[in-house]
Amino acid sequence: MENTNCGVCQKPKANLECGICHDPICKKCAQFLEESTFSYLKTIPPQLKHTVFCGPCYDKNVAPELEQYEADMRKATTITIFMTDDTKTTSRFSRKEKAIEIKDCPDREEVMMRLAFLAVKAGFNALIDVEIKSEKVLPGGKYQYSKWSGKGIPTQITSSRFL
């Protein structure tokens, strides 16, 4: 991809390629995303797996998805969570949904956030019977670390008493 013209500004020296339309683009015109931007999604759509985009493709395909993702992340921080110890409080809540399960996270907070995010994506405003566990891992080296996992049942709470 040497000495080609940028698909946006038409200047030479376009040394990058748009991940969606594959047009050559220069660094000035390129829109960049970190690889971990959509990491909380269960499956990342193919067009969002790239890190370099031209302006038109970014505006049409990436920006709306990024805006929705960030809105869901904000909602996930406000979700109501009841741990397994709270079963007396949640005894009348619906438990007909399948439990969401998260494995292999580096810390407890990430497990909670991932559970909450997936509940929001499924259209729920609460998690009940949430159970978080850690497992110590001692690899061949000296230092041990913990792997965290968790599960919870998503549900919809309508009573303002619990929100």
Side-chain angles (χ1 to χ4, degrees):
M1 206 189 254
E2 292 182 25
N3 293 333
T4 56
N5 290 342
C6 175
V8 178
C9 69
Q10 299 302 316
K11 291 183 181 178
K13 296 184 182 176
N15 55 357
L16 299 171
E17 181 179 298
C18 175
I20 296 176
C21 68
H22 303 289
D23 279 351
I25 49 176
C26 65
K27 190 174 182 180
K28 257 186 179 175
C29 297
Q31 299 281 335
F32 297 97
L33 276 183
E34 291 182 29
E35 283 185 34
S36 63
T37 301
F38 294 101
S39 66
Y40 279 46
L41 290 175
K42 209 169 206 169
T43 54
I44 300 172
Q47 73 266 19
L48 300 178
K49 289 184 179 181
H50 306 286
T51 57
V52 180
F53 303 93
C54 65
C57 287
Y58 183 87
D59 293 341
K60 182 180 177 189
N61 298 306
V62 180
E65 293 288 336
L66 185 59
E67 194 174 305
Q68 181 63 49
Y69 180 79
E70 289 172 348
D72 289 342
M73 288 296 281
R74 283 189 299 276
K75 280 184 194 173
T77 60
T78 63
I79 198 166
T80 306
I81 297 176
F82 294 98
M83 303 304 280
T84 51
D85 299 342
D86 301 324
T87 52
K88 194 171 189 178
T89 308
T90 63
S91 62
R92 294 182 186 238
F93 291 175
S94 171
R95 287 174 169 73
K96 54 185 168 180
E97 294 298 322
K98 188 176 179 182
I100 298 171
E101 195 166 345
I102 301 294
K103 293 182 180 180
D104 298 336
C105 285
D107 59 36
R108 184 180 196 280
E109 289 74 27
E110 185 173 331
V111 171
M112 297 289 278
M113 190 63 188
R114 286 186 181 276
L115 286 170
F117 181 79
L118 292 177
V120 165
K121 285 302 277 181
F124 298 100
N125 66 356
L127 281 165
I128 56 175
D129 298 342
V130 174
E131 187 176 350
I132 307 292
K133 295 179 183 177
S134 69
E135 173 188 338
K136 292 190 192 264
V137 178
L138 185 60
K142 298 178 189 177
Y143 302 103
Q144 75 178 16
Y145 63 94
S146 295
K147 282 194 316 188
W148 291 81
S149 60
K151 64 180 179 178
I153 301 171
T155 192
Q156 193 68 30
I157 297 177
T158 55
S159 173
S160 61
R161 190 172 109 197
F162 293 107
L163 292 176

